[in-house]
Amino acid sequence: MKRFLLTMAVLTLALASLAETYDVSIGDNFFDPQIISISPGDRVRWTNNGVNTHRVKSKESYWDSGFLAPGETYTRTFNTAGRFDYNDPQY
C-alpha cells in the first residue's frame, strides 16, 4: 500500500509540473481574453489592468476574488474539468 501511495504522490507532482498558467486581463468593463480552454490542474491569473476596482466571481459562487485594486492579481487553480462562467458583479 505504501508503494502505491508513493507512486501516486510522484505522479501527482509530475502532473503538477505540467500545469499551465493562463493570464486574463481585467479592463474597465471587459475581460481579455473572454474565453479560454484549460486542462485540470491549470491556473488562471486575472490581473486588474483597469483604473477601477474589480472582482472576479464565479456565476455559481464557486469562488470570489474579492475586490482587486488596479495592478492586483487573483489566481485560481482548476482541478476538475467543466465550464466555469464568471463575471465582475459590479458591472
Side-chain angles (χ1 to χ4, degrees), residues 14 18-19 22 27 34 37 41 43 45 49-50 56 60 78 82 86 88-89:
L18 297 175
Y22 295 87
Q34 292 182 355
S37 296
R43 295 171 297 276
R45 178 176 47 222
N49 292 310
V56 177
E60 296 82 14
F78 292 83
Y86 62 93
D88 182 343

Side-chain angles (χ1 to χ4, degrees), residues 29-41:
N29 303 319
F30 68 88
F31 293 99
D32 183 35
Q34 292 182 355
I35 299 172
I36 57 174
S37 296
I38 61 173
S39 299

Side-chain angles (χ1 to χ4, degrees), residues 31 55-59 63 85-91:
F31 293 99
R55 286 170 63 194
V56 177
K57 186 175 185 282
S58 162
K59 289 186 179 179
W63 76 88
D85 295 324
Y86 62 93
N87 64 6
D88 182 343
Q90 296 174 205
Y91 297 97

Side-chain angles (χ1 to χ4, degrees), residues 54-89:
H54 293 283
R55 286 170 63 194
V56 177
K57 186 175 185 282
S58 162
K59 289 186 179 179
E60 296 82 14
S61 297
Y62 294 137
W63 76 88
D64 185 341
S65 67
F67 293 102
L68 300 173
E72 289 187 319
T73 64
Y74 172 71
T75 303
R76 176 161 177 80
T77 301
F78 292 83
N79 294 314
T80 58
R83 178 182 171 138
F84 304 94
D85 295 324
Y86 62 93
N87 64 6
D88 182 343

